[in-house]
Amino acid sequence: HVSLVESGGGSVQTGGSLRLSCAVSTDTYRSVSMAWFRQGPWNERVGIAGRDSDGSTNYDDSVKGRFTISLDKAANTLYLQMNNLKPDDSGMYMCAARDGIIAMLRSDEYKYWGHGTQVTVSL
């Protein structure tokens, strides 16, 4: 079982930065992969960034070069550093975990979810 609690959202202007945190409770990271999703106004969940159990990462094309996903195992925290934010980045950001070594950016692959933290980017 994995429990997840997000924090760090807020309101920023275009070009600003935020760092989201996800407190992770799990017995082992060895076979768990994790990701960040953005939930839109119609509750659709878009995969933004994923981290495989071996540390490999992958990103949606819309955030490549601007966002970075990382895991601090000592702190039991998954991060999403977001730079050069744009209005289209606005939404509810949710961290997710799955029992599997590959972090797919498909929401139906994930069993464990946090409740989310809101990000709003204004012009």
Side-chain angles (χ1 to χ4, degrees):
H1 179 76
V2 181
S3 67
L4 306 165
V5 180
E6 303 92 336
S7 62
S11 297
V12 296
Q13 291 186 322
T14 296
S17 296
L18 283 173
R19 188 176 77 160
L20 306 184
S21 299
C22 177
V24 182
S25 176
T26 180
D27 292 334
T28 178
Y29 291 106
R30 199 179 326 166
S31 59
V32 173
S33 54
M34 287 177 276
W36 286 95
F37 286 80
R38 181 177 66 234
Q39 182 166 290
W42 294 278
N43 292 328
E44 73 282 15
R45 293 179 179 178
V46 177
I48 297 300
R51 183 193 180 277
D52 298 347
S53 61
D54 69 354
S56 301
T57 58
N58 62 97
Y59 299 91
D60 182 78
D61 285 346
S62 65
V63 305
K64 281 181 182 176
R66 300 189 297 123
F67 290 13
T68 303
I69 186 172
S70 61
L71 174 67
D72 184 337
K73 293 182 181 179
N76 288 321
T77 304
L78 182 73
Y79 296 103
L80 184 67
Q81 177 66 44
M82 307 188 296
N83 298 327
N84 191 21
L85 283 160
K86 305 175 182 180
D88 284 350
D89 295 321
S90 298
M92 180 70 75
Y93 281 73
M94 308 175 76
C95 66
R98 62 186 297 271
D99 296 316
I101 62 175
I102 303 297
M104 305 187 188
L105 295 183
R106 284 174 43 186
S107 60
D108 59 356
E109 295 287 340
Y110 287 81
K111 179 178 180 180
Y112 307 105
W113 292 86
H115 292 292
T117 184
Q118 181 69 36
V119 171
T120 303
V121 185
S122 59
L123 290 170

